[in-house]
């Protein structure tokens, strides 16, 4: 089985920055896509940013220019740096993996437990 452990987050002032990290553990051969989603109270979970094993990235319009996603394929980790934070960035941020090859199995994906990010005005 594969587990995702997130770190970072917390309370940040508007205009500040945050760094989120996620480490995938288990018998992992490869991960196609790693990314971050977020869910604010009363809203649907939405993509923040994603990165493929080849380094191609995708960002939500709302964070374009303020977020940078990176990954270390050898360590199965993904990082999200966000700058110029706004109160509307407040949400639970979830790490996500898609296309995970582990042992003799291929999994569609996994979710982390989530980490709270609160941006105060």
């Amino acid at each position: 089985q594969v587990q995702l452990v997130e770190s970072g987050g917390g309370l940040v002032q508007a205009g500040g920055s945050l760094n989120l990290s996620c480490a995938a553990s288990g018998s992992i051969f490869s991960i196609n896509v790693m990314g971050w989603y977020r869910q604010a109270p009363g809203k649907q979970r939405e993509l923040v940013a994603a990165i493929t094993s080849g380094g191609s990235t995708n960002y939500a319009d709302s964070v374009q220019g303020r977020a940078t996603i990176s990954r270390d394929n050898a360590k199965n980790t993904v990082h999200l740096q966000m700058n110029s934070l706004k109160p509307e960035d407040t949400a639970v941020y979830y790490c996500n993996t898609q296309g995970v090859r582990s042992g003799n199995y291929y999994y569609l994906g996994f979710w982390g437990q989530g980490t709270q990010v609160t941006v105060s005005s």
Side-chain angles (χ1 to χ4, degrees):
Q1 193 58 281
V2 174
Q3 290 186 327
L4 304 181
V5 178
E6 299 137 333
S7 60
L11 178 63
V12 185
Q13 285 191 333
S17 301
L18 67 80
N19 285 284
L20 301 179
S21 294
C22 173
S25 63
S27 181
I28 298 171
F29 179 74
S30 64
I31 302 174
N32 185 18
V33 181
M34 301 185 80
W36 291 92
Y37 286 71
R38 68 186 180 186
Q39 187 167 18
K43 295 188 177 181
Q44 290 188 332
R45 192 172 297 188
E46 63 176 4
L47 173 70
V48 177
I51 183 169
T52 69
S53 57
S56 296
T57 58
N58 183 33
Y59 295 95
D61 290 343
S62 59
V63 303
Q64 186 74 44
R66 300 190 294 123
T68 301
I69 190 169
S70 61
R71 66 185 281 179
D72 185 325
N73 291 331
K75 296 180 179 179
N76 294 317
T77 57
V78 62
H79 310 278
L80 179 70
Q81 179 175 353
M82 287 184 61
N83 303 316
S84 302
L85 287 167
K86 306 174 183 180
E88 49 263 45
D89 292 319
T90 296
V92 178
Y93 284 69
Y94 296 91
C95 179
N96 172 262
T97 60
Q98 298 177 30
V100 181
R101 193 172 298 279
S102 175
N104 294 323
Y105 300 96
Y106 182 84
Y107 298 94
L108 291 179
F110 297 91
W111 289 97
Q113 295 277 12
T115 183
Q116 177 71 45
V117 172
T118 302
V119 182
S120 63
S121 58

